[in-house]
Amino acid sequence: MTLVKNGAVVENEWVTVDDDTIVPIDQPAIVSANRWRNEKERLRQRNVPIGLRLSSDAVVDDIADALDTIELIALEFPAFTDGRSYSTARLLRERFGFEGEIRAVGQILRDQAQFMLRCGFDAFELAPGANVDEWIDGLSEIAIHYQPAADTRTSTAVLRHR
Amino acid sequence: MTQQAVTANLLGDGRVAFLTWDGDWSDNVADSHIATSDEESEWLLETAQRAVAAQVAVDPYLIEIDASSGSAWPVQRREQIRAAGPTGTINTLSDASVDGLKRVA
Amino acid sequence: MYRYDAYDSQLVGERVAQFRDQVQRRLDGALSEDEFRPLRLLNGLYLQLHAYMLRVAIPYGTLSSEQMRMLAHIARRYDKGYGHFTTRQNIQFNWTKLEEAPDILTDLAKVEMHAIQTSGNTIRNTTADPFAGVAADEIEDPRITCEIIRQWSTLHPEFSFLPRKFKIAVTGAYEDRAAVRVHDIGLAMQRNEAGEVGFEVMVGGGQGRTPMIAKTIRDFLPKDQLLSYLEAILRVYNLAGRRDNKYKARIKILVHELGTEVFRDQVEAEWEQLRDAGPNLDSAEVERIAAFFDPPSYEPAETSGYNAKLFEDHAFSDWARTNVARHKQSGYAIVSVSLKPEGEAPGDATAEQMDAMAEFAERYSLGEIRVTHEQNLVLPYVRQSDLYALWQGLRTQGLSTANIGLISDIIACPGLDYCGLATTRSIPVAQRISRLFANLDRQHDIGELRLKISGCINACGHHHVGHIGILGVDRKGEEYYQITLGGRADENAAIGKIIGPAFSSDNVVDAIETLVNIYLEQRYDGERFVDTYERIGQSPFKEALYDAR
């Protein structure tokens, strides 16, 4: 699996753990929201970072109490066309002020990467065989943005009146 | 069973095409390779799928064919219109399809 | 009209380059059809029955003569010499090639046009009153709002993969010529008691399989709060709209299943969070955009020649009666140009007709043209003293049919002749009806009658809101046509009711004539078809259609 973060390929330090597998004590681990709810107290006592993996129908309010503990949220794309996680990412960044990593996982295309970036994603788990260089190019294909979003890019409405 | 042929649209220009006896594509339904058994239909579809993999054709499928008049003609109205062009605007028809148009039910 | 600045041009240029690359990757095999389909649909490119169809955006239906000439060029160079104006004020070309699609977009960009978001599950072209800026009953030109929405919604990072497509319509006038109540969001401009301008916000209208009239969720939204409110609606919909069944994925189903009150509460709660931090424009940007829509400098009225010609020339006065509407500036007129000549496909125009319209616009209408959702064209700034010369010019191009609002001014979807989704044909039915009622005196006698035809249940031909609606249904390979009566797309929007069993293709045109005859027998003075229908109900029509059989 190739991980692109902040526009470059990086080593993935995280392990994604199934609900019925033991959570390692010495490696950052990503668990489901369900497991978080059930094992919250125990997971908080680990000395290594914990992350959450959210399905595309997850409601941010349901995991709001986890946000000061966790360092990564992986948002799932079960299909290219399931756009719910774009809104979820914006809510995490803009409404809840989450500053950890937001990682896009599942069915994602490089042609969608810039939309994700603007909604607050900063890491992308590429499908096997994906062309990494093209992916990184895809993050900056469009330089003009008509509307503000969760990123720091300035919208045209502001640029025009500077 | 009824007789069948394979149709698709060509990737590059989108035109309607029919899989021919020599494994190529034609815009004329009369050139279609007509399958007369399930096995042959299956084989035709597999041939068409190779054309999909080779970036030649898009979304191939089987259509029912009536060849009783001597040349192949689709049974379904939708496929007749695909073979002959729109029925309402005569000036848009290709020359080859004018004869076919007269046969659209 | 709005003109691009360097930012607008750069964005469209970058989008064309991006699409060119996507097309190349598809042709090379780097993208499969399943991967490419959502990408080409974000740029208006469909694979239809016969070929690729490219839908070009005409923002809120406003075109310059230069843009119209480019559409003519595209029809000639890349297509078969014609194009089809749609119910969403766009144009589509039916015979394009994937290989040439990037070149078409490059040509379009030269005249500040594109195909961005003319398909796909995105916010589509925002439509408007075709008489915007010139209607006598208008509060403010709705195109200012539409352009603000166009920019906000273009490549919106959060709302490019919605549960389903999303259509917004805006009217600034009391009389609704934009069918705002059958859109996902309808905005009707209002003035509050303090005299401030804002919008009545209606949500969840639409046609398709489950036709619904939009529900008002806010009586008055201040104009400067529009974008944050739209963002709140879209966010609620993006997160909660159904994705398990594409036929239940439109916002109308969400509004219906939640109930209007609950939906409104969710939107208002989201808006509370967004209204200060959201995408609302500051006044400098609003003023910049609004300035593009300032009224032109009108010349003094001169009407005597016009009035004389109305007396002298019967054919001209017939045309003026239906195709010329009152302008807010005295001495001027709004001219509707019918794309429904007898026996032709509704909404089609040849490259020659497009060039001619560009010419007429330059000579008579300050270079501006509009497209209506009823698939006609409008010249919005014609001096009354030029009307006769314009009409004579239109006559040489087959563009002078005097039938706006009459029974042969039919909305029809492309139907099975072109569309990959259709189950029956609609164009040939429209053609037969227009031939049956070819006698113009008879049409004028019948008066306003909105007839709309869809070739399948997706209702792109707006049959649900036709005074007479016709829906094609396939019965074991035979084309049948179901008739609905009493639909309306105006400010009193209503969904038509099915009158009874469907008619065969052979009988449907006679059935329409029977309905018209009942109306003619029963009408009071001054009543339109739909008025008589609303007064006497379905029974007399139903009896005439079915009892004799």
Side-chain angles (χ1 to χ4, degrees):
Chain A
M1 184 265 281
T2 308
L3 186 68
V4 170
K5 186 172 180 183
N6 296 326
V9 177
V10 296
E11 197 64 36
N12 181 27
E13 294 165 355
W14 294 77
V15 59
T16 301
V17 185
D18 292 342
D19 281 0
D20 41 15
T21 306
I22 293 168
V23 179
I25 53 163
D26 54 353
Q27 193 182 2
I30 302 170
V31 301
S32 72
N34 217 11
R35 185 155 191 176
W36 167 261
R37 266 188 291 277
N38 294 334
E39 303 175 25
K40 215 184 300 204
E41 297 314 319
R42 203 148 55 80
L43 290 169
R44 274 199 172 115
Q45 284 159 18
R46 293 163 75 252
N47 282 325
V48 281
I50 191 86
L52 286 190
R53 185 178 172 107
L54 300 183
S55 58
S56 63
D57 60 356
V59 176
V60 182
D61 298 73
D62 294 349
I63 53 108
D65 66 331
L67 293 175
D68 56 356
T69 310
I70 60 175
E71 295 185 20
L72 176 147
I73 296 177
L75 296 179
E76 286 178 10
F77 289 84
F80 305 119
T81 50
D82 186 336
R84 284 174 283 193
S85 293
Y86 295 93
S87 288
T88 306
R90 282 196 72 176
L91 288 171
L92 284 168
R93 291 288 189 224
E94 295 172 75
R95 183 90 23 103
F96 292 88
F98 181 69
E99 291 179 353
E101 176 176 324
I102 301 184
R103 182 181 291 194
V105 299
Q107 302 278 314
I108 55 173
L109 293 171
R110 67 163 255 204
D111 307 272
Q112 302 172 311
Q114 202 171 4
F115 288 145
M116 293 179 185
L117 194 69
R118 298 212 61 217
C119 286
F121 289 90
D122 55 359
F124 308 93
E125 208 177 278
L126 272 49
N131 182 322
V132 176
D133 294 336
E134 285 185 352
W135 249 90
I136 291 171
D137 289 346
L139 291 167
S140 57
E141 276 179 337
I142 308 282
I144 300 296
H145 307 293
Y146 275 134
Q147 60 296 97
D151 54 358
T152 56
R153 289 163 186 79
T154 310
S155 72
T156 50
V158 174
L159 289 175
R160 279 173 173 143
H161 301 281
R162 274 200 173 155
Chain B
M1 66 165 265
T2 51
Q3 299 177 315
Q4 291 185 313
V6 166
T7 185
N9 292 77
L10 299 183
L11 174 66
D13 64 12
R15 297 298 185 262
V16 173
F18 302 90
L19 188 59
T20 65
W21 294 93
D22 54 7
D24 206 347
W25 297 88
S26 167
D27 60 2
N28 189 346
V29 64
D31 298 336
S32 298
H33 181 143
I34 309 295
T36 54
S37 68
D38 290 344
E39 293 74 24
E40 196 177 2
S41 293
E42 198 55 39
W43 181 83
L44 274 185
L45 262 188
E46 284 167 18
T47 307
Q49 285 303 340
R50 282 197 293 278
V52 170
Q55 284 87 247
V56 172
V58 182
D59 297 342
Y61 57 96
L62 290 163
I63 58 171
E64 284 180 53
I65 290 290
D66 174 7
S68 56
S69 71
S71 74
W73 186 244
V75 173
Q76 304 289 330
R77 175 176 295 99
R78 179 183 195 274
E79 297 309 323
Q80 292 171 354
I81 291 172
R82 283 182 78 248
T87 62
T89 39
I90 298 296
N91 59 350
T92 64
L93 294 179
S94 66
D95 294 341
S97 61
V98 173
D99 287 342
L101 170 66
K102 295 177 188 143
R103 297 169 64 182
V104 175
Chain C
M1 60 187 283
Y2 186 77
R3 299 305 307 258
Y4 283 9
D5 68 2
Y7 295 113
D8 300 302
S9 297
Q10 188 183 340
L11 183 141
V12 171
E14 288 171 343
R15 183 70 182 99
V16 172
Q18 185 183 44
F19 190 68
R20 188 178 288 279
D21 176 58
Q22 290 167 347
V23 168
Q24 197 53 52
R25 282 187 284 142
R26 174 69 185 112
L27 293 171
D28 293 344
L31 286 173
S32 70
E33 187 62 18
D34 281 347
E35 290 169 330
F36 182 60
R37 189 179 299 110
L39 300 180
R40 68 168 157 75
L41 287 178
L42 282 174
N43 219 1
L45 193 66
Y46 290 76
L47 186 50
Q48 293 285 24
L49 276 194
H50 307 287
Y52 289 97
M53 180 270 275
L54 180 70
R55 185 179 295 147
V56 175
I58 300 174
Y60 33 92
T62 294
L63 275 175
S64 69
S65 55
E66 185 194 17
Q67 291 173 326
M68 186 63 112
R69 281 209 179 83
M70 180 57 83
L71 297 178
H73 164 74
I74 288 165
R76 261 192 286 264
R77 167 75 181 75
Y78 302 102
D79 205 277
K80 294 193 176 186
Y82 69 109
H84 177 74
F85 288 96
T86 76
T87 58
R88 305 221 67 257
Q89 302 179 312
N90 291 323
I91 185 168
Q92 48 200 43
F93 294 103
N94 291 302
W95 304 93
T96 62
K97 298 179 169 136
L98 177 61
E99 300 147 333
E100 292 182 340
D103 297 336
I104 301 176
L105 297 174
T106 300
D107 280 353
L108 286 169
K110 291 175 194 160
V111 293
E112 305 177 7
M113 296 185 84
H114 59 74
I116 297 169
Q117 289 166 218
T118 55
S119 57
N121 294 334
T122 58
I123 303 168
R124 304 287 189 90
N125 182 28
T126 298
T127 52
D129 183 350
F131 294 176
V134 291
D137 61 341
E138 185 173 272
I139 294 175
E140 185 186 290
D141 192 328
R143 295 174 303 165
I144 301 166
T145 301
C146 292
E147 178 60 26
I148 288 170
I149 296 172
R150 184 189 77 80
Q151 297 195 19
W152 162 77
S153 62
T154 296
L155 304 188
H156 197 297
E158 185 179 351
F159 304 133
S160 289
F161 296 90
L162 295 168
R164 202 75 177 83
K165 57 189 168 184
F166 203 92
K167 301 172 181 177
I168 305 174
V170 189
T171 177
Y174 170 72
E175 194 184 326
D176 180 6
R177 287 169 290 259
V180 300
R181 286 158 186 82
V182 284
H183 281 78
D184 295 289
I185 295 178
L187 299 171
M189 225 169 264
Q190 307 284 341
R191 240 183 241 290
N192 68 6
E193 284 169 4
E196 296 153 341
V197 175
F199 301 99
E200 178 184 353
V201 181
M202 293 163 270
V203 177
Q207 303 196 51
R209 286 158 203 256
T210 323
M212 290 191 190
I213 302 297
K215 318 290 186 300
T216 297
I217 60 166
R218 194 164 238 283
D219 292 323
F220 187 84
L221 175 72
K223 212 168 62 169
D224 59 355
Q225 299 285 303
L226 177 66
L227 293 184
S228 58
Y229 202 80
L230 293 181
E231 197 143 299
I233 295 172
L234 266 295
R235 181 169 290 165
V236 169
Y237 170 57
N238 190 41
L239 284 168
R242 287 183 62 170
R243 291 175 187 266
D244 59 327
N245 179 342
K246 80 180 256 199
Y247 302 116
K248 295 186 174 175
R250 294 288 289 268
I251 196 172
K252 62 190 172 188
I253 303 294
L254 179 67
V255 174
H256 180 73
E257 288 183 352
L258 287 178
T260 308
E261 301 296 316
V262 172
F263 178 79
R264 178 211 327 253
D265 291 347
Q266 291 189 6
V267 169
E268 293 276 333
E270 182 62 33
W271 186 50
E272 273 309 310
Q273 303 277 343
L274 277 176
R275 55 194 296 181
D276 297 324
N280 296 329
L281 298 184
D282 64 22
S283 57
E285 177 64 357
V286 174
E287 282 161 22
R288 185 191 74 89
I289 291 173
F292 287 104
F293 299 96
D294 282 346
S297 43
Y298 291 107
E299 290 169 14
E302 205 261 283
T303 61
S304 56
Y306 171 53
N307 290 329
K309 287 292 181 199
L310 285 177
F311 275 107
E312 286 166 20
D313 194 324
H314 182 66
F316 174 63
S317 66
D318 270 350
W319 174 79
R321 182 141 53 109
T322 46
N323 295 37
V324 175
R326 196 160 76 87
H327 201 284
K328 72 176 183 187
Q329 181 71 23
S330 76
Y332 279 76
I334 306 168
V335 172
S336 293
V337 176
S338 171
L339 296 180
K340 321 288 177 65
E342 180 195 336
E344 297 292 336
D348 277 11
T350 64
E352 290 69 34
Q353 288 175 321
M354 293 182 217
D355 275 338
M357 282 302 295
E359 177 82 26
F360 296 140
E362 279 166 6
R363 204 180 308 164
Y364 302 115
S365 183
L366 306 178
E368 197 174 305
I369 302 157
R370 310 285 176 80
V371 182
T372 77
H373 88 269
E374 292 178 313
Q375 302 180 280
N376 294 312
L377 301 176
V378 165
L379 295 171
Y381 301 106
V382 183
R383 282 189 296 262
Q384 287 185 355
S385 52
D386 285 337
L387 282 169
Y388 194 73
L390 168 61
W391 174 71
Q392 287 180 310
L394 291 169
R395 290 224 294 183
T396 66
Q397 299 293 332
L399 291 169
S400 65
T401 311
N403 65 348
I404 295 296
L406 304 182
I407 191 168
S408 65
D409 182 10
I410 298 167
I411 290 183
C413 69
L416 189 57
D417 283 304
Y418 292 94
C419 176
L421 298 174
T423 52
T424 63
R425 286 173 287 172
S426 40
I427 292 170
V429 177
Q431 290 170 320
R432 282 157 56 208
I433 292 171
S434 83
R435 286 195 199 101
L436 177 68
F437 291 95
N439 182 323
L440 205 60
D441 288 337
R442 186 176 174 210
Q443 279 197 61
H444 278 253
D445 177 43
I446 295 164
E448 182 184 336
L449 201 165
R450 309 280 174 173
L451 197 150
K452 309 185 192 222
I453 307 173
S454 303
C456 80
I457 197 162
N458 292 309
C460 299
H462 292 193
H463 69 276
H464 292 301
V465 292
H467 297 170
I468 297 177
I470 299 177
L471 166 65
V473 287
D474 178 87
R475 298 253 172 91
K476 295 182 183 144
E478 294 298 317
E479 291 167 309
Y480 275 76
Y481 294 90
Q482 197 171 66
I483 295 176
T484 56
L485 295 182
R488 302 174 67 147
D490 58 12
E491 59 281 0
N492 299 307
I495 304 298
K497 294 200 169 49
I498 296 170
I499 185 141
F503 292 87
S504 70
S505 182
D506 286 342
N507 292 331
V508 65
V509 175
D510 291 343
I512 300 304
E513 186 164 39
T514 302
L515 293 170
V516 169
N517 287 337
I518 294 299
Y519 155 67
L520 292 174
E521 284 166 21
Q522 300 270 348
R523 71 175 168 187
Y524 290 169
D525 249 11
E527 267 187 349
R528 301 170 302 168
F529 179 92
V530 71
D531 302 322
T532 304
Y533 171 81
E534 285 170 5
R535 177 172 56 79
I536 68 178
Q538 227 185 33
S539 302
F541 295 99
K542 196 166 181 163
E543 283 161 22
L545 281 181
Y546 298 105
D547 285 5
R549 299 162 108 209

